[in-house]
């Protein structure tokens, strides 16, 4: 085996792959061969580094040099300069946007400093398509310990003591769930991994499956041992092709060396994993709907009880866990429940992965201990708001969550705290908004999503959400009244109380929380016919400031609907009845003579 | 491929891969081990810095000393190439000059293993902007 003196880790997550990281890898390989260095430098394609904002990322070890926004044609230079001559390629290093200083070592980046990576422990570190590298990080040791030294009850007790709660949104204690499924008497039981990640802007589960698929397989086998199941099913959306490929490779490798299949490690325990593809319906993240979809039925939720733990897939007891929940399991077995329980807050243990998105400098995937404040996540790790704008709100929990404001920034993030301030943990999407975002439009955007994704089975969700959407639309058109605001609140609460599943029970959250936190903004829309953020087109007016207008006729010539009139060298005029608010005049004017009111 | 039959089998795979993964594991926490930076600018390479670096990597490996050996740019001591900077855990970095294989061996045996200074230390004669 070659004795490598340097490793080059190239991000092979979906984001970086879209920016040609595959080509970068090929070019690096070629360049290393051309320099005759193939025995001393190893190029590895890993999972997501999390720093998607500046992808594709190439990290060089052992010196931890972190190159960002690398292009395929940079490969030669990296090899020639960094590898051969030992000089960093300056223009590819990361520059801190707030301090304007160049940071070469990833350990010095604010983005990584506050993170604690448990679920993401191997993402961006190992080659996900190489089971040996997973094993070298104590992979499958937890399964060996469970099978060799622990009874199923002891495994469940460990999970209970660790305090791990479901990371898919519900926050239900994982150990308890396993216990319920174990208690159900049946010859056949199933372990299901819920990889139907549907929140807009969320990619936690995808990244774990792409970066560390074995951790999920190992956890499923442990769960199978604990509850008495021999079959595992991963329900994954077909729109995650890379995750599916890597899972297939991982399953094949685990079978080859007998870590999946019959008589695992000579203990007589049988367990195998199969994939089931979903068509990408949001509601199928709900466990009963997910199970129906796997059975080939319509993806519609059914009333609980019976819980899947009693009657699930093919009417057999089924334990459904989310990807991130499972990724935590092997570490808990290896390091002990006590260690895990020492991280986090009183009732929420461990860490949580978040997908940071929106108007934030460091868009990406992060993992922090429970109890970290929103401020730390947004400003320290996320690097603050883009273009120096002012923070306005953060939406946690995706379309089911709420919008939190400045005053909530110091709230420690955990399941209960987020609920108490009117939002939720959800699966971990976190979308940051700045002063330019109109909260009514934001609520409308989320509702449009849930409206689209509602399965239509129960009336409150199918019809209620439609009515909510119509009212919001009316408000953004400037035709709303104050009574509409009361109606929104009342209808929202009715939908929450009467919907069948989590989708309808949470869909009004974005409206209710923005009504609570940004009531003034709603009022401005309905009473003054004004959109404070300047986003609702119907409420805007473009006007020409006479003093500034030089009469250059540029706007007059650019206006697509000929709404602007006026003589050369004298102030122009916009006919509001003709104006379609396209904003062309505003963009083209060289004298700042056009204002938005 | 042989089937994994026990925790011991897993350990065996782990040990086999370990030497390959050690470099990655160590670079996660360089402050806990011996860090060596080899100046590898043109003058360093011309004076044999590459051989020095390879020798040190092999020797640390051979003697099972936990160490991270990285290359760096010109340190400015072109008169004393190859130069290396050695940082023992919890100590200030020390720069050695004229480090050929023989000198490297001395550095490892005397400074790294026993913590005793040897001839050839280049005093720090400038301040960096961090200080």
């Amino acid at each position: 085996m070659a004795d490598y003196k340097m490793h080059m880790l190239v991000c092979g997550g979906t984001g970086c792959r879209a920016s040609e990281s595959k080509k970068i890898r090929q070019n690096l390989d070629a360049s290393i061969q051309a320099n005759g260095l193939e025995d001393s430098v190893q190029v590895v394609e890993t999972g997501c580094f999390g720093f998607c904002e500046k992808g594709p990322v190439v990290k060089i070890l052992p010196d931890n040099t972190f190159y960002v926004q690398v292009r395929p044609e940079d490969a030669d230079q990296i090899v020639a300069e960094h590898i051969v001559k030992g000089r960093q390629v300056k223009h590819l290093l990361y520059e801190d946007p707030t301090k304007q200083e160049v940071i070469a070592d990833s350990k010095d980046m604010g983005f990584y400093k506050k993170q604690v990576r448990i679920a993401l422990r191997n993402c961006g570190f190992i080659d996900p398509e190489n089971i040996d590298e997973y094993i070298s990080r104590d992979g499958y040791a937890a399964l060996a310990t469970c099978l060799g030294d622990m009874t199923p009850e002891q495994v469940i007790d460990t999970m209970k003591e660790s305090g791990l709660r479901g990371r898919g949104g519900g926050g239900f204690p994982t150990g308890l769930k396993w216990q319920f499924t174990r208690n159900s008497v049946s010859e056949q039981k199933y372990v299901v991994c819920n990889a139907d990640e549907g929140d807009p802007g969320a990619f936690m589960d995808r990244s774990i499956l792409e970066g560390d698929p074995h951790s999920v397989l190992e956890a499923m086998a442990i769960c199978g041992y604990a509850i008495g199941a021999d079959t595992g099913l991963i329900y994954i959306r077909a729109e995650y092709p890379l995750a599916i490929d890597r899972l297939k490779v991982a399953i094949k490798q685990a079978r080859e060396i007998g870590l999946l299949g019959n008589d695992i490690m000579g203990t007589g325990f049988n367990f195998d994993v199969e994939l089931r593809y979903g068509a990408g319906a949001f509601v199928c993240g709900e466990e009963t709907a997910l199970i129906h979809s796997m059975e080939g039925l319509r993806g519609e939720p059914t009333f609980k009880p019976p819980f899947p733990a009693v009657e699930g897939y093919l009417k057999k007891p089924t334990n459904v866990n989310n990807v991130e929940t499972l990724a935590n399991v092997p570490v808990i077995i290896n390091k002990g429940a006590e260690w895990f329980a020492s991280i986090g807050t009183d009732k929420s243990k461990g860490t949580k992965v978040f997908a940071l998105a929106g108007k934030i400098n460091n868009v990406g995937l992060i993992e922090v201990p429970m109890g970290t404040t929103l401020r730390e996540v947004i400003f320290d790790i996320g690097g603050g708001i883009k273009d120096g704008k002012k923070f306005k709100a953060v939406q946690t929990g995706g379309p089911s969550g709420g919008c939190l404001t400045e005053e909530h920034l110091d709230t420690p993030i955990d399941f209960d705290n987020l609920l108490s301030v009117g939002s939720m943990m959800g699966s971990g999407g976190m979308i940051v908004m700045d002063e330019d975002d109109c909260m009514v439009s934001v609520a409308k955007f989320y509702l449009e999503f849930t409206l689209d994704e509602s399965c239509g089975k129960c009336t409150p969700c199918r019809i209620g959400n439609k009515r909510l959407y119509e009212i919001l639309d009316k408000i953004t058109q400037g035709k709303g009244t104050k009574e509409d605001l009361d109606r929104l609140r009342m209808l929202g609460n009715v939908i929450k109380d009467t919907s069948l599943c989590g989708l309808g029970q949470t869909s009004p959250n974005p409206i209710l929380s923005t009504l609570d936190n940004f009531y003034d903004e709603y009022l401005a829309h309905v009473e003054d016919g004004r959109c404070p953020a300047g986003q609702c087109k119907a409420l805007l007016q473009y006007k020409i400031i006479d003093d500034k207008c030089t009469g250059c006729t540029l706007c007059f010539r650019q206006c697509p609907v000929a709404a602007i009139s006026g003589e050369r060298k004298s102030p122009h005029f916009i006919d509001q009845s003709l104006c379609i608010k396209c904003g062309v005049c505003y963009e083209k004017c060289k004298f700042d003579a056009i204002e938005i009111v | 491929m042989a089937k994994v039959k026990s925790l011991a089998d897993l350990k065996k795979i782990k040990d086999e891969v370990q030497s390959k993964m050690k470099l990655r594991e160590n670079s996660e926490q360089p402050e806990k081990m011996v860090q060596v930076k080899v100046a590898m600018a043109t003058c360093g390479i011309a004076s044999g810095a590459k051989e020095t670096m390879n020798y040190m990597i092999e020797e640390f490996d051979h003697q099972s000393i936990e160490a991270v050996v990285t290359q760096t740019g010109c340190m400015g001591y072109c008169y004393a190439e190859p130069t290396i900077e050695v940082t023992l855990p919890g100590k200030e970095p020390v720069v050695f000059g004229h480090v050929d294989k023989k000198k490297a061996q001395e550095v490892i045996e005397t400074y790294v293993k026993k913590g005793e200074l040897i001839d050839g230390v280049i005093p720090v004669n400038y301040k960096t902007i961090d200080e």
Side-chain angles (χ1 to χ4, degrees):
Chain A
M1 192 174 62
D3 183 17
Y4 298 116
K5 294 182 181 63
M6 282 186 132
H7 292 194
M8 306 178 89
L9 309 184
V10 184
C11 179
T14 294
C16 287
R17 274 224 178 175
S19 320
E20 298 188 283
S21 76
K22 190 103 195 148
K23 189 96 186 48
I24 297 173
R25 195 229 150 118
Q26 287 164 359
N27 287 1
L28 283 174
D29 269 331
S31 186
I32 280 169
Q33 286 218 337
N35 282 286
L37 294 166
E38 58 267 34
D39 286 335
S40 54
V41 181
Q42 186 193 22
V43 184
V44 188
E45 193 175 332
T46 70
C48 182
F49 282 88
F51 204 57
C52 311
E53 172 76 22
K54 296 278 179 193
V57 169
V58 174
K59 189 170 168 179
I60 311 230
L61 298 179
D63 47 303
N64 265 316
T65 304
F66 198 78
Y67 288 127
V68 294
Q69 291 180 325
V70 179
R71 289 162 305 148
E73 55 270 30
D74 293 324
D76 282 341
Q77 197 187 3
I78 293 179
V79 173
E81 283 292 308
H82 192 124
I83 306 294
V84 177
K85 292 187 193 146
R87 291 197 291 241
Q88 288 170 336
V89 183
K90 291 276 184 321
H91 74 99
L92 293 174
L93 294 174
Y94 168 70
E95 186 180 333
D96 190 311
T98 46
K99 292 181 205 134
Q100 259 113 49
E101 61 184 23
V102 170
I103 302 177
D105 191 328
S106 59
K107 290 197 299 310
D108 297 331
M109 287 165 59
F111 182 74
Y112 286 110
K113 266 186 189 165
K114 290 208 168 172
Q115 293 199 46
V116 175
R117 292 163 91 91
I118 297 176
L120 297 177
R121 61 193 179 280
N122 291 327
C123 280
F125 193 86
I126 64 167
D127 175 356
E129 298 190 2
N130 184 340
I131 193 171
D132 288 350
E133 294 201 356
Y134 180 65
I135 291 173
S136 90
R137 300 272 282 172
D138 288 321
Y140 291 103
L143 178 62
T145 310
C146 289
L147 297 181
D149 309 327
M150 293 170 88
T151 63
E153 286 80 10
Q154 283 172 328
V155 175
I156 292 176
D157 284 343
T158 306
M159 295 316 295
K160 280 189 196 162
E161 284 159 25
S162 74
L164 176 66
R165 294 169 66 172
R167 302 294 196 236
F172 191 81
T174 307
L176 215 53
K177 208 176 205 181
W178 290 19
Q179 181 78 65
F180 289 150
T181 321
R182 173 158 186 83
N183 291 349
S184 299
V185 182
S186 172
E187 279 182 11
Q188 178 70 57
K189 295 182 191 177
Y190 294 98
V191 176
V192 170
C193 168
N194 182 350
D196 189 67
E197 186 173 46
D199 287 8
F203 51 96
M204 295 80 54
D205 296 346
R206 192 194 72 210
S207 299
I208 291 174
L209 290 171
E210 285 172 4
D212 193 15
H214 284 288
S215 68
V216 175
L217 299 181
E218 182 183 6
M220 289 177 77
I222 292 171
C223 177
Y225 174 70
I227 66 168
D230 65 359
T231 306
L233 300 162
I234 300 178
Y235 184 82
I236 182 166
R237 20 183 71 207
E239 61 213 64
Y240 279 1
L242 185 60
I244 290 172
D245 283 350
R246 297 230 165 111
L247 273 171
K248 280 185 183 162
V249 171
I251 292 171
K252 184 167 164 276
Q253 288 175 343
R255 279 183 191 152
E256 268 168 14
I257 59 169
L259 293 170
L260 283 179
N262 288 335
D263 192 22
I264 294 173
M265 299 194 215
T267 56
F269 172 66
N270 307 329
F271 193 82
D272 211 342
V273 176
E274 291 170 28
L275 302 183
R276 291 281 186 279
Y277 305 126
F282 184 59
V283 73
C284 289
E286 198 281 337
E287 50 186 13
T288 59
L290 181 153
I291 288 168
H292 296 314
S293 169
M294 289 204 307
E295 290 168 341
L297 304 171
R298 283 186 68 151
E300 286 178 344
T302 40
F303 193 72
K304 292 192 279 189
F307 286 93
V310 178
E311 201 182 295
Y313 182 60
L314 303 178
K315 305 262 179 254
K316 304 292 183 198
T318 303
N319 185 87
V320 185
N321 282 136
N322 155 274
V323 171
E324 189 190 332
T325 315
L326 289 169
N328 279 292
V329 169
V331 193
I332 293 174
I333 300 287
N334 282 336
K335 294 199 169 190
E338 214 170 287
W339 168 82
F340 191 77
S342 70
I343 303 165
T345 61
D346 198 22
K347 287 194 177 137
S348 304
K349 299 302 186 188
T351 56
K352 179 76 192 83
V353 182
F354 291 99
L356 283 183
K359 309 280 183 64
I360 191 161
N361 275 320
N362 301 339
V363 167
L365 193 69
I366 63 151
E367 182 171 356
V368 289
M370 295 276 190
T372 306
T373 62
L374 285 166
R375 188 184 299 279
E376 287 174 289
V377 169
I378 295 167
F379 290 93
D380 296 347
I381 298 172
I385 311 301
K386 266 211 163 94
D387 302 327
K389 299 249 172 152
K390 205 166 159 278
F391 168 82
K392 184 168 188 179
V394 54
Q395 162 91 6
T396 69
S400 318
C403 286
L404 302 177
T405 62
E406 183 92 41
E407 63 172 307
H408 302 112
L409 276 182
D410 292 308
T411 311
I413 303 168
D414 72 5
F415 288 103
D416 309 292
N417 280 341
L418 287 179
L419 274 179
S420 70
V421 292
S423 183
M424 62 187 278
M425 182 76 86
S427 60
M430 205 179 262
I431 297 177
V432 178
M433 288 157 243
D434 70 9
E435 50 193 324
D436 292 343
D437 287 308
C438 162
M439 300 316 285
V440 184
S441 305
V442 166
K444 193 175 119 183
F445 164 79
Y446 282 110
L447 209 73
E448 198 176 348
F449 176 80
T450 38
L451 198 62
D452 236 18
E453 295 289 346
S454 170
C455 74
K457 180 168 179 168
C458 70
T459 318
C461 179
R462 182 182 69 241
I463 298 176
N465 280 326
K466 179 80 183 161
R467 294 291 98 84
L468 281 180
Y469 179 79
E470 286 165 1
I471 299 172
L472 284 177
D473 195 48
K474 204 172 129 192
I475 295 173
T476 56
Q477 295 295 328
K479 294 171 188 153
T481 60
K482 210 171 162 216
E483 288 69 47
D484 284 329
L485 303 187
D486 300 331
R487 208 168 292 137
L488 275 179
R489 199 186 291 271
M490 198 185 70
L491 184 54
N493 282 318
V494 170
I495 295 171
K496 267 182 97 146
D497 292 342
T498 53
S499 288
L500 176 62
C501 80
L503 197 154
Q505 285 161 12
T506 56
S507 62
N509 278 350
I511 299 179
L512 295 174
S513 69
T514 45
L515 272 174
D516 281 344
N517 294 324
F518 298 95
Y519 193 70
D520 291 350
E521 213 169 313
Y522 277 88
L523 270 187
H525 281 78
V526 297
E527 291 198 324
D528 312 339
R530 192 171 58 85
C531 174
Q535 290 294 310
C536 295
K537 274 192 179 171
L539 300 180
L540 300 180
Q541 273 198 359
Y542 288 91
K543 278 195 172 156
I544 292 174
I545 307 167
D546 287 356
D547 293 349
K548 287 192 179 171
C549 181
T550 61
C552 72
T553 74
L554 185 60
C555 59
F556 169 82
R557 280 178 279 138
Q558 297 284 343
C559 180
V561 291
I564 302 177
S565 54
E567 291 298 312
R568 210 179 157 77
K569 295 199 173 159
S570 64
H572 290 13
F573 173 75
I574 301 177
D575 183 346
Q576 297 299 335
S577 64
L578 293 175
C579 176
I580 55 164
K581 287 138 188 169
C582 65
V584 166
C585 54
Y586 180 77
E587 280 167 27
K588 295 287 176 190
C589 182
K590 291 173 185 156
F591 310 98
D592 293 327
I594 295 176
E595 60 176 351
I596 304 174
V597 286
Chain B
M1 214 175 188
K3 300 260 176 191
V4 174
K5 285 290 174 200
S6 63
L7 192 54
D9 286 352
L10 275 178
K11 281 236 168 70
K12 220 167 85 191
I13 299 181
K14 188 178 163 178
D15 290 342
E16 279 167 19
V17 194
Q18 196 98 65
S19 58
K20 207 174 94 189
M21 293 295 284
K22 205 167 75 188
L23 180 141
R24 258 182 260 174
E25 300 279 356
N26 287 355
S27 56
E28 290 272 285
Q29 41 180 351
E31 63 284 350
K32 287 189 186 155
M33 52 202 73
V34 183
Q35 296 176 64
V36 178
K37 284 184 186 162
V38 184
M40 292 262 266
T42 309
C43 50
I45 294 172
S47 325
K50 241 191 166 120
E51 287 74 27
T52 305
M53 180 167 170
N54 286 347
Y55 173 77
M56 293 197 82
I57 292 174
E58 277 157 26
E59 201 56 27
F60 282 130
D61 200 41
H62 192 58
Q63 301 202 28
S64 305
I65 297 171
E66 295 279 294
V68 177
V69 182
T70 59
Q71 46 184 347
T72 182
C74 179
M75 291 190 199
Y77 310 111
C78 306
Y79 64 93
E81 292 295 349
T83 47
I84 63 169
E85 182 189 277
V86 183
T87 313
L88 299 184
K91 290 202 175 154
E92 290 295 308
V94 179
V95 177
F96 297 95
H98 299 294
V99 186
D100 53 10
K101 264 193 196 180
K102 194 162 152 277
K103 187 81 183 177
Q105 191 185 11
E106 201 186 338
V107 169
I108 293 175
E109 291 303 321
T110 318
Y111 183 64
V112 173
K113 286 164 84 174
K114 296 183 198 146
E116 293 167 15
L117 284 177
I118 52 172
D119 284 347
V121 173
I122 301 177
V124 177
N125 52 9
Y126 60 90
K127 282 189 187 296
T128 57
I129 48 168
D130 302 336
E131 287 170 40

